[in-house]
Amino acid sequence: MKSSKKEFAFENKANEIKTYFPHHLTDYFLIEKGTDSLQFKPHFDVSEFSKAKSKMIKNMYGDKVSAVMYESPSMDLVFYPTKAGIKAEIILRKKPADNVF
């Protein structure tokens, strides 16, 4: 669902662990459980990725999940909440120019 926090595009507060998804990959994701929290973001060039989009996808386990997707010409990065935090999947559109990710 859309986030009530302006610095995030989407959030999931349905579980004991709360997850927040940024508008852009240049900003941080946030995971909270009680008073504990963890922030993270990719440490590679994410300038080609789109703004966050909410989308229903079939994940790598074959389950239909509500996900947040960031698209680029070469790959999509997909994130979705789980009871333990956030799961990430990479969908390659074409072979990367180098093999470093």
Side-chain angles (χ1 to χ4, degrees):
M1 78 169 63
K2 289 197 182 243
S3 182
S4 59
K5 294 184 178 190
K6 69 177 181 162
E7 63 269 31
F8 296 101
F10 301 99
E11 65 183 41
N12 181 351
K13 295 182 178 180
N15 300 315
E16 180 181 3
I17 296 176
K18 314 301 182 219
T19 54
Y20 300 88
F21 303 85
H23 294 279
H24 301 279
L25 287 173
T26 53
D27 298 319
Y28 286 91
F29 289 80
L30 174 64
I31 301 172
E32 294 180 328
K33 181 179 180 185
T35 59
D36 294 324
S37 66
L38 171 72
Q39 291 184 327
F40 67 92
K41 68 179 180 177
H43 289 278
F44 58 92
D45 181 12
V46 293
S47 60
E48 289 190 340
F49 285 89
S50 69
K51 288 177 66 173
K53 298 176 185 175
S54 179
K55 189 173 184 179
M56 291 299 292
I57 65 157
K58 188 180 276 192
N59 68 11
M60 65 181 158
Y61 305 108
D63 300 322
K64 198 170 188 181
V65 297
S66 177
V68 178
M69 181 177 280
Y70 303 87
E71 299 171 317
S72 82
S74 60
M75 73 175 77
D76 297 336
L77 297 179
V78 180
F79 300 87
Y80 52 92
T82 68
K83 290 181 181 179
I86 295 174
K87 184 79 169 174
E89 296 186 17
I90 302 167
I91 301 169
L92 295 176
R93 293 177 181 265
K94 62 182 181 180
K95 183 179 178 182
D98 60 51
N99 62 356
V100 176
F101 181 71

